[in-house]
């Protein structure tokens, strides 16, 4: 479209330059074309700036909405963690079934949480008393284990600290 609007007047001037009426019009064509192009470029620049501002505003709105949603999820997950902390502070000898019921209620309210476990930090000098205490509470023979080279469980080797999955 722009090509037709620019080339047509030039072509007409060249075709009809010998006609006396056109001889007076020919000097005006470059001036009018320059003004026309200036208007078109100005409109294009204005529309481009408006479109860019609109897209930036939309991006900002979506970013804020996503940021708020992420903050809310993180806050909810932190609350779930604090509730587990409170559970173990006030019920240190909770059995696996009670812990599972508690976990299921949290997982229903927080669909982003798929699994939870209790993994205390046990220092090397606390290992035996920890294993005895867990054995007493759950009545199963409990020991801190690790996998060997073939993937089978064995008693964990000596180290400074352990994080056994207890529940």
């Amino acid at each position: 479209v722009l090509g037709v609007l620019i080339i047509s007047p030039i072509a007409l001037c060249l075709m009809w330059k010998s006609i006396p009426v056109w001889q007076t019009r020919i000097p005006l064509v470059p001036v009018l074309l320059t003004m026309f192009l200036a208007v078109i470029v100005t409109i294009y620049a204005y529309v481009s700036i408006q479109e860019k501002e609109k897209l930036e505003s939309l991006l900002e709105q979506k970013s804020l909405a996503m940021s708020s949603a992420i903050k809310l999820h993180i806050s909810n997950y932190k609350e779930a963690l604090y509730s587990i902390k409170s559970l173990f502070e006030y019920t240190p000898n909770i059995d696996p079934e009670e812990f599972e019921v508690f976990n299921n209620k949290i997982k229903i309210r927080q669909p982003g949480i798929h699994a939870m476990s209790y993994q205390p930090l046990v220092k090397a000098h606390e290992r035996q008393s920890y294993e005895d205490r867990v054995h007493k509470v759950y009545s199963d023979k409990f020991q801190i284990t690790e996998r060997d080279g073939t993937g089978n469980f064995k008693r964990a080797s000596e180290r400074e600290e352990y994080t056994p999955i207890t529940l």
Side-chain angles (χ1 to χ4, degrees):
V1 172
L2 279 177
V4 171
L5 294 174
I6 294 170
I7 301 298
S8 297
I10 294 171
L12 290 174
C13 287
L14 292 175
M15 284 179 14
W16 294 338
K17 67 180 176 183
S18 57
I19 300 174
V21 174
W22 275 94
Q23 290 176 355
T24 59
R25 294 180 184 164
I26 289 176
L28 293 175
V29 171
V31 174
L32 292 173
L33 282 177
T34 303
M35 288 175 32
F36 174 72
L37 284 173
V39 168
I40 295 297
V41 168
T42 303
I43 291 171
Y44 177 79
Y46 176 78
V47 169
S48 293
I49 290 169
Q50 294 300 313
E51 184 68 18
K52 180 181 176 189
E53 288 175 358
K54 179 181 171 185
L55 290 173
E56 286 174 351
S57 174
L58 184 62
L59 177 64
E60 180 73 20
Q61 289 173 356
K62 287 189 175 196
S63 298
L64 288 174
M66 288 178 77
S67 173
S68 295
I70 290 169
K71 285 178 183 176
L72 178 63
H73 284 296
I74 289 172
S75 176
N76 289 340
Y77 296 152
K78 285 170 71 176
E79 287 303 316
L81 292 173
Y82 284 124
S83 64
I84 290 174
K85 179 183 177 206
S86 296
L87 174 70
F88 283 104
E89 285 175 353
Y90 297 107
T91 316
N93 296 328
I94 189 168
D95 65 49
E97 291 80 23
E98 291 171 325
F99 186 69
E100 186 63 29
V101 169
F102 184 82
N103 278 343
N104 286 337
K105 288 181 181 180
I106 289 177
K107 288 189 280 187
I108 289 169
R109 289 190 311 272
Q110 301 299 328
I113 296 176
H114 299 284
M116 291 186 290
S117 64
Y118 175 59
Q119 297 172 248
L121 182 64
V122 178
K123 301 288 184 185
H125 68 277
E126 302 168 330
R127 178 180 180 165
Q128 190 58 52
S129 65
Y130 179 78
E131 289 176 337
D132 292 342
R133 189 172 68 248
V134 173
H135 172 69
K136 208 179 287 181
V137 171
Y138 301 116
S139 70
D140 288 335
K141 179 62 179 151
F142 179 84
Q143 65 178 348
I144 298 174
T145 60
E146 65 186 3
R147 293 190 186 266
D148 62 17
T150 62
N152 296 318
F153 285 103
K154 66 172 186 126
R155 181 171 175 80
S157 59
E158 296 297 320
R159 55 182 71 117
E160 289 183 28
E161 54 190 27
Y162 308 90
T163 53
I165 299 173
T166 306
L167 292 175

